[in-house]
């Protein structure tokens, strides 16, 4: 029987929830070595959230030591591929079995609608772990071409200890993007989730142990970026940092890698993605894509379609359709209301930033057509309604800076060349889209946009088979797909010579 979800159902579940807020190191919950804790307000209503361990360099040292010991012992990386696969598939199944609890932890932390947490975030986290579990026994080494008297084996080997630092907007999903390929490749992981969203990461670690993942292979240290994330990025016994977050912090991560042991770095950073609509486009499809692409998750999405670059002749009609889609489909409400499509922003300082960007947009000459204002403040929560600005030019803050809120900026154009210039006039290059019925133009334009993902006549469609990541200051390295395995591995050549050979003749340099 399918569960019928109501707000009362979720409130009852929340009332009985007892989140575990300690680190998870070497297979067990641990308080901070210093005994320090922290607490933050719940985005949905401003009430106190869970108490969490406040990690520092000492806790990072303990987690890295556990991860290194597990890696060197070979307890995971040397296990038979089929056995590793079974463990990861069981882990994915456990995520599904504990889906309601994980969804509630996610919503409690970040304020997103509970049904989105359940049907999107939990589902995709389980699918991510499953995808990489399925890959384990399908990864092959290579034999390089040589002469008849030699054999060269090219092996893909794990790096060792991976530090993963993940953001608060999609904790479960992005954790799975890092954990799945890193662990499938044979590494051990120390995860430092965002201080705003640690609860689901701790639960993921519990479920991994229950599935049979050896202690020490997956560890979680909670706390603030400066106190726990920075020591992880600087740690001399961490071989790689996989980071998703802002471009500003990504630059710091690169510096920490250089200051320490020249560790590998993979960065998935900010975006200011263009959605380009030509006058021959299906305006209904474009309106739906623009609204959902920008407003979903309250705009707290790195590849949100925040720049609507629209041919001037159809701008007014398209904006009217976007407003209709927003009013009809994108319901803002309390996160525990099953009908809510978008919920609260993450924290008060972030809401103030979003509101200040809206004010700056008006001062710079942008005209607010609808929404983009604080609402539901009587709840104690942090809610901003989805809204659209027109009369925006590409030099305004609304068009240049990542808002991370439900605000769409419409920029008109006349010609294809002008549209392309505006689309690429940004330091970011994460995603983009083009809407047109002219398929020659669609492919020409999508090839010309400098971004890691470009959609044609749709937005935000993907599977785990497609890589995700950015160009320019949106970072480098790819999450998702089989290609994500590569960044957690290195290539090792093993050369075997048969019989005698001339050393000088065979030298490659």
């Amino acid at each position: 029987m399918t569960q019928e979800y109501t707000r009362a159902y979720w409130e009852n579940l929340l009332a009985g929830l007892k989140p575990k807020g300690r680190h998870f190191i070497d297979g067990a919950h641990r308080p901070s070595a210093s005994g320090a804790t922290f607490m933050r307000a719940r985005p949905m209503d401003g009430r106190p959230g869970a108490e969490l361990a406040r990690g520092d360099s000492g806790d990072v040292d303990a987690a890295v030591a556990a991860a290194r010991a597990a890696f060197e012992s070979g307890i995971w990386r040397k296990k038979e591929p089929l056995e590793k696969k079974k463990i990861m598939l069981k882990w994915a199944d456990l995520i599904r079995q504990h889906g309601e609890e994980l969804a509630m932890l996610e919503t409690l932390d970040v304020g997103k609608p509970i049904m989105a947490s359940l049907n999107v975030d939990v589902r995709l986290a389980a699918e991510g772990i499953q995808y990489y579990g399925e890959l384990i026994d399908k990864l092959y080494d290579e034999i390089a071409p040589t002469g008849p008297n030699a054999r060269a084996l090219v092996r893909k080997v794990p790096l060792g200890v991976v530090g993963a630092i993940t953001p608060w907007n999609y904790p479960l999903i992005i954790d799975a993007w890092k954990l799945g390929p890193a662990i499938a490749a044979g590494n051990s992981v120390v995860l430092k989730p965002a201080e705003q969203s640690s609860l689901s990461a701790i639960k993921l670690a519990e479920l991994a142990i229950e599935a049979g993942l050896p202690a020490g292979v997956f560890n979680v240290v909670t706390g603030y970026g400066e106190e726990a994330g920075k020591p992880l990025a600087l740690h001399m016994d961490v071989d790689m940092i996989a980071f998703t977050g802002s471009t500003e912090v990504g630059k710091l991560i690169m510096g920490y890698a250089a200051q320490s042991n020249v560790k590998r770095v993979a960065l998935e950073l900010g975006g200011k993605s263009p959605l380009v609509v030509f006058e021959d486009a299906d305006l209904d499809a474009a309106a739906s894509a623009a609204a959902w692409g920008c407003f979903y998750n309250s705009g707290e999405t790195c590849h949100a379609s925040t720049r609507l670059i629209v041919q001037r002749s159809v701008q007014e009609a398209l904006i009217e359709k976007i407003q209709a889609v927003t009013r009809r489909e994108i319901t803002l409400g309390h996160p525990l209301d099953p009908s809510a499509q978008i919920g609260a922003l993450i924290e008060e300082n972030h809401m103030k930033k979003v509101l200040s960007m809206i004010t700056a947009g008006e001062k710079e000459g942008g005209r607010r057509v609808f929404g983009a204002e604080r609402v539901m403040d009587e709840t104690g929560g942090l809610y901003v309604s989805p809204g659209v600005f027109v009369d925006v030019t590409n030099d305004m803050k609304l068009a240049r800076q990542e808002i991370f809120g439900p605000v769409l900026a419409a920029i008109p154009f006349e010609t294809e060349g002008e549209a392309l210039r505006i689309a690429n006039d940004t330091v970011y290059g994460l995603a983009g889209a083009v809407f047109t019925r002219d398929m020659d133009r669609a492919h020409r334009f999508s090839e010309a946009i400098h971004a890691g993902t470009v959609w044609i006549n749709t937005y935000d469609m993907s599977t785990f088979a497609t890589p995700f990541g950015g160009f320019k200051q949106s970072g480098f390295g790819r999450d998702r797909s089989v290609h994500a395995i590569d960044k957690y591995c290195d290539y090792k050549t093993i050369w075997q010579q048969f019989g005698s050979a001339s050393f000088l003749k065979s030298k490659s340099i």
Side-chain angles (χ1 to χ4, degrees), residues 136-152:
I136 288 177
D137 62 351
K138 301 172 184 65
L139 299 172
Y140 291 85
D141 292 326
E142 301 171 1
I143 300 292
T146 61
N149 295 323
R151 179 175 293 125

Side-chain angles (χ1 to χ4, degrees), residues 20-154:
K20 296 176 182 177
R22 293 173 291 169
H23 309 307
F24 198 87
I25 298 174
D26 204 17
H29 293 279
R30 293 190 192 180
S32 293
S34 67
T37 61
F38 70 102
M39 183 183 293
R40 53 182 293 276
R42 303 190 321 199
M44 69 172 75
D45 55 19
R47 296 178 183 176
E51 185 177 55
L52 292 157
R54 185 169 176 171
D56 59 23
S57 59
D59 302 296
V60 170
D61 287 343
V64 171
R68 176 60 64 187
F71 181 78
E72 296 299 338
S73 73
I75 193 171
W76 174 250
R77 63 186 172 93
K78 293 182 180 180
K79 195 180 288 290
E80 289 290 333
L82 184 59
E83 182 62 24
K84 289 194 287 186
K85 173 181 175 177
K86 289 178 179 178
I87 289 171
M88 289 197 71
L89 294 185
K90 184 177 180 181
W91 186 12
D93 286 341
L94 287 171
I95 291 171
R96 296 184 179 99
Q97 291 171 28
H98 291 262
E100 290 184 1
E101 180 184 359
L102 282 164
M104 182 57 73
L105 293 173
E106 199 85 328
T107 291
L108 185 64
D109 264 346
V110 304
K112 68 175 61 186
I114 188 66
M115 298 310 294
S117 294
L118 181 66
N119 294 328
V120 179
D121 298 56
V122 171
R123 175 178 61 82
L124 290 178
E127 288 179 6
I129 299 301
Q130 177 178 329
Y131 180 89
Y132 290 104
E134 292 282 6
L135 270 179
I136 288 177
D137 62 351
K138 301 172 184 65
L139 299 172
Y140 291 85
D141 292 326
E142 301 171 1
I143 300 292
T146 61
N149 295 323
R151 179 175 293 125
L153 174 63
V154 181

Side-chain angles (χ1 to χ4, degrees), residues 302-322:
C302 53
H303 61 276
S305 56
T306 52
R307 287 190 302 150
L308 175 65
I309 303 171
V310 55
Q311 202 148 23
R312 193 181 301 274
S313 59
V314 295
Q315 177 180 253
E316 184 177 351
L318 181 60
I319 298 301
E320 288 178 358
K321 289 178 180 294
I322 290 171

Side-chain angles (χ1 to χ4, degrees), residues 486-502:
D486 292 341
K487 71 185 183 186
Y488 298 106
C489 296
D490 211 342
Y491 289 96
K492 181 175 185 177
T493 298
I494 300 175
W495 184 286
Q496 181 180 7
Q497 189 71 37
F498 306 112
S500 60
S502 169

Side-chain angles (χ1 to χ4, degrees), residues 209-291:
I209 291 294
E210 184 177 343
L213 195 71
V217 175
F218 173 26
N219 309 273
V220 178
V221 176
T222 61
Y224 294 97
E226 186 71 17
E227 298 172 355
K230 181 178 179 180
L232 183 62
L234 284 168
H235 206 288
M236 294 297 292
D237 205 22
V238 171
D239 300 293
M240 176 188 177
I241 290 290
F243 172 78
T244 295
S246 70
T247 296
E248 291 73 20
V249 177
K251 292 176 180 179
L252 294 176
I253 296 292
M254 290 187 72
Y256 299 151
Q259 293 169 35
S260 52
N261 56 344
V262 199
K263 57 176 60 68
R264 309 293 176 84
V265 176
L267 304 174
E268 194 268 284
L269 307 175
K272 198 68 184 172
S273 300
L275 191 152
V276 181
V277 181
F278 287 91
E279 61 186 0
D280 68 335
D282 179 338
L283 295 188
D284 290 323
S288 180

Side-chain angles (χ1 to χ4, degrees), residues 283-289 291-292 295 318-332 339-341 370 386:
L283 295 188
D284 290 323
S288 180
W292 282 103
F295 302 147
L318 181 60
I319 298 301
E320 288 178 358
K321 289 178 180 294
I322 290 171
Q323 185 170 13
V325 169
T326 304
R327 288 177 172 171
R328 182 175 66 248
E329 300 178 14
I330 307 179
T331 307
L332 187 152
S339 67
Q341 295 290 345
F370 67 89

